[in-house]
Amino acid sequence: MTDDLSFRAGFACFVGRPNAGKSTLTNALVGTKVAITSSKPQTTRHTVRGIVHRPDAQLVLVDTPGLHKPRTLLGERLNDLVRATWSEVDVVALCVPADEPVGRGDRFIADEIAGLKKKNVLVVVTKTDLVDKKRLAEQLLAVSQLGEFAEVVPVSAKSGEQVGLLADLLAKYLPESPPLYPDGELTDEPEQVMVAELIREAALEGVRDELPHSLAVVVEEMEPREGRDDLLDVHATVFVERPSQKAIVLGAGGERIKHVGSTSRRHIEALLGTRIYLDLRVKVAKDWQRDPRQLRRLGF
């Protein structure tokens, strides 16, 4: 802990449309995986906090779901979550990918943030490794026309280009404060939530486009095997909305779910630092995205 008054600590949140690179950037700044990433848009379903420890500051990054036009009750709840988050943090960073034209969604979010009366709003142009210098210059010009911003920063979470500079800039806008979390802590996510997210990430890989939104994972039980302190039993359920989706997740002869199990098990063991036995089931919760009772049961 430090009592030095020049130390800064506070919260920054990344906002942007789905698939703008927010989770990948959070992981790059923290230096380890705290948010799941996927090529499917709308992967993040709740706010994930990643903690960046620096000699001069402690930066708590809040990665939010992508703001989008909601088609379900789940979508509405996710949007409410984003708005609640950005009204409470010290600095907001709008993420816009370098490889896609600035669109209606970006303008909509920029206008919403402008209404916050916050001075500390940055624009981060993500995925700069995917474009050449000319295209990047055009994109920087386009994003600067979205509104009044404290900074416009191009970064590549993949190559690490300018990630350190972004951390410096975010830290600059935090209030003077002692650290908010113990040294060495990288996230305040409950372990069960992170385990469920890693299973969902593995289940999302390679599935057809209509499935991602219908997938939810609940860790029912997580405890050490009786008489063994080197093995953790994890029982989890993958919920889908229709029997046809259950068939996709299971795969022919259960091959797909086996692959999901082995992939996620590796990540979970790395996260928890212990061997695990993973028991995965797949169940149908009909139209859960539209049902308030089921949404509550599944943690939304």
Side-chain angles (χ1 to χ4, degrees):
M1 284 294 203
T2 176
D3 298 320
D4 185 356
L5 269 181
S6 63
F7 192 87
R8 294 177 180 275
F11 294 83
C13 90
F14 289 135
V15 299
R17 54 193 163 88
N19 230 7
K22 301 181 293 293
S23 301
T24 310
L25 195 51
T26 299
N27 291 338
L29 281 156
V30 175
T32 188
K33 190 183 193 72
V34 291
I36 73 167
T37 56
S38 162
S39 56
K40 308 270 180 243
Q42 290 308 167
T43 305
T44 304
R45 284 218 181 126
H46 55 271
T47 53
V48 176
R49 292 197 181 113
I51 303 157
V52 182
H53 300 273
R54 298 162 51 99
D56 60 336
Q58 188 181 75
L59 177 62
V60 185
L61 297 169
V62 189
D63 176 28
T64 57
L67 204 65
H68 62 294
K69 207 183 182 91
R71 289 190 296 274
T72 61
L73 183 58
L74 171 66
E76 283 170 29
R77 291 207 176 161
L78 295 182
N79 280 353
D80 291 345
L81 184 64
V82 178
R83 293 188 178 105
T85 301
W86 67 27
S87 63
E88 290 163 6
V89 296
D90 302 297
V91 52
V92 175
L94 168 61
C95 295
V96 180
D99 63 331
E100 292 172 35
V102 170
R104 272 211 322 247
D106 301 306
R107 282 191 281 275
F108 170 70
I109 297 168
D111 290 347
E112 286 235 349
I113 298 171
L116 283 174
K117 305 283 179 274
K118 263 194 202 316
K119 308 188 286 296
N120 306 341
V121 178
L122 284 63
V123 178
V124 182
V125 175
T126 58
K127 309 185 186 185
T128 57
D129 53 291
L130 299 178
V131 296
D132 59 25
K133 284 200 171 75
K134 181 173 176 290
R135 176 77 189 90
L136 179 57
E138 289 165 358
Q139 190 72 334
L140 290 170
L141 189 64
V143 298
S144 61
Q145 289 164 357
L146 284 170
E148 293 270 319
F149 302 110
E151 318 270 356
V152 178
V153 199
V155 301
S156 165
K158 200 168 176 194
S159 71
E161 185 89 23
Q162 303 238 90
V163 169
L165 173 68
L166 175 61
D168 292 343
L169 292 172
L170 291 170
K172 186 174 94 175
Y173 291 103
L174 301 179
E176 290 189 347
S177 157
L180 304 167
Y181 289 91
D183 200 24
E185 206 164 295
L186 296 177
T187 179
D188 66 353
E189 280 296 285
E191 281 183 346
Q192 271 181 247
V193 172
M194 291 192 74
V195 167
E197 288 288 270
L198 289 170
I199 295 167
R200 190 163 65 91
E201 180 179 45
L204 280 174
E205 282 319 302
V207 294
R208 294 215 296 275
D209 285 346
E210 78 276 9
L211 196 54
H213 310 295
S214 304
L215 263 177
V217 177
V218 175
V219 173
E220 316 280 0
E221 214 178 324
M222 197 161 98
E223 50 191 31
R225 173 83 53 96
E226 212 173 317
R228 301 263 306 262
D229 52 9
D230 64 334
L231 186 65
L232 196 65
D233 285 326
V234 178
H235 298 273
T237 307
V238 179
F239 288 96
V240 290
E241 294 190 296
R242 292 190 293 283
S244 60
Q245 294 170 339
K246 180 177 177 176
I248 294 170
V249 174
L250 286 170
E255 275 310 299
R256 191 134 204 333
I257 196 72
K258 263 190 219 145
H259 178 68
V260 169
S262 59
T263 305
S264 55
R265 191 174 64 242
R266 280 202 315 278
H267 290 307
I268 296 164
E269 288 181 340
L271 170 78
L272 302 178
T274 183
R275 285 186 55 222
I276 69 157
Y277 164 76
L278 180 59
D279 172 47
L280 272 187
R281 314 211 157 191
V282 185
K283 289 185 181 169
V284 177
K286 193 171 180 322
D287 291 333
W288 65 262
Q289 291 186 78
R290 291 173 172 77
D291 179 342
R293 208 176 75 239
Q294 300 209 71
L295 278 173
R296 270 199 305 279
R297 197 175 118 225
L298 296 175
F300 298 107

